[in-house]
Amino acid sequence: EVQLVESGGGLVQPGGSLRLSCAASDFTFSTYWMTWVRQAPGKGLEWVADIKPDGSEKYYVDSVKGRFTISRDNAKNSLYLQMHSLRAEDTAVYYCVRGQWGDYWGQGTLVTVSS
Amino acid sequence: DVVMTQSPLSLPVTLGQPASISCRSSQSLVYSDGNTYLNWFQQRPGQSPRRLIYKVSNRDSGVPDRFSGSGSGTDFTLKISRVEAEDVGVYYCMQTTHWPPITFGQGTRLEIK
């Protein structure tokens, strides 16, 4: 069974940084695009970023460009999201998602940006 | 960016009755390869989203056959033939035809009357 397990969320002050991780298992991670999707409390789903299987292409929603970096380590079956200059509006549950079509989702990790 | 508009945003339904959710895109979702990349997701309370339908009408493994997807171009529909208690939650449409960015509808909250 495909598993995606996120970690690294927590409380951070505005302007701070955080690195999210996603451990993937039971599929050939290195052959899939991977995606981060977030959901602010009580709100809908928002695509954040995605990355090509070999890491050579990365795409971001405009609101995080220049602040967030998506990356992956195929040897470790892991996906990452490095977040800098965090704002209150980045507060959300961040989901790791397999592919761009979203066939498998992790349980999410909560990021709270607050002073 | 492609805007996805769902209606209704709230959907009270009696158990055993049908339900229908509409999703409209601001431009055609037909890709150059002839496919239409429109998916539907269900998010039950307190859970992660789960994909139900991909490429307009293809049901994912394990999804009950009471769920069906249809549509073309800019107009799409998710139908539940007979609503059950476990269907309560929020339903989202998502397009990946015109990526980046991938965009979602606002969500439709289904509740039992």
Side-chain angles (χ1 to χ4, degrees), chain A residues 2 24-34 53 72 74 77 98:
Chain A
V2 169
S25 59
D26 290 323
F27 67 98
T28 308
F29 180 76
S30 61
T31 65
Y32 282 85
W33 281 79
M34 293 298 295
R72 64 193 297 159
N74 286 342
N77 290 338
R98 188 176 84 164

Side-chain angles (χ1 to χ4, degrees), chain A residues 39 50 95 100-102 106-107, chain B residues 37 39 41 43 48 96 99:
Chain A
Q39 185 171 36
D50 55 28
Y95 294 102
Q100 295 170 307
W101 295 2
Q107 86 288 350
Chain B
Y37 294 102
N39 300 338
F41 296 85
Q43 187 174 31
S48 302
T96 57
W99 151 92

Side-chain angles (χ1 to χ4, degrees), chain A residues 46-89:
Chain A
E46 181 184 37
W47 171 80
V48 175
D50 55 28
I51 184 168
K52 197 174 179 179
D54 64 1
S56 62
E57 294 181 30
K58 306 173 185 182
Y59 300 92
Y60 302 90
V61 68
D62 284 349
S63 59
V64 309
K65 282 179 183 174
R67 301 189 298 124
F68 290 12
T69 301
I70 188 171
S71 63
R72 64 193 297 159
D73 185 335
N74 286 342
K76 294 183 178 179
N77 290 338
S78 292
L79 177 71
Y80 306 101
L81 187 67
Q82 178 68 55
M83 304 184 293
H84 294 296
S85 303
L86 283 160
R87 307 167 180 167
E89 54 266 34

Side-chain angles (χ1 to χ4, degrees), chain B residues 2-14:
Chain B
V2 175
V3 176
M4 306 297 288
T5 303
Q6 291 183 226
S7 63
L9 298 184
S10 179
L11 184 56
V13 183
T14 301

Side-chain angles (χ1 to χ4, degrees), chain B residues 43-65:
Chain B
Q43 187 174 31
R44 291 171 171 154
Q47 295 187 12
S48 302
R50 164 201 183 194
R51 197 178 71 181
L52 299 175
I53 302 283
Y54 63 96
K55 289 196 291 183
V56 180
S57 59
N58 297 276
R59 231 178 355 258
D60 273 279
S61 176
V63 174
D65 60 8

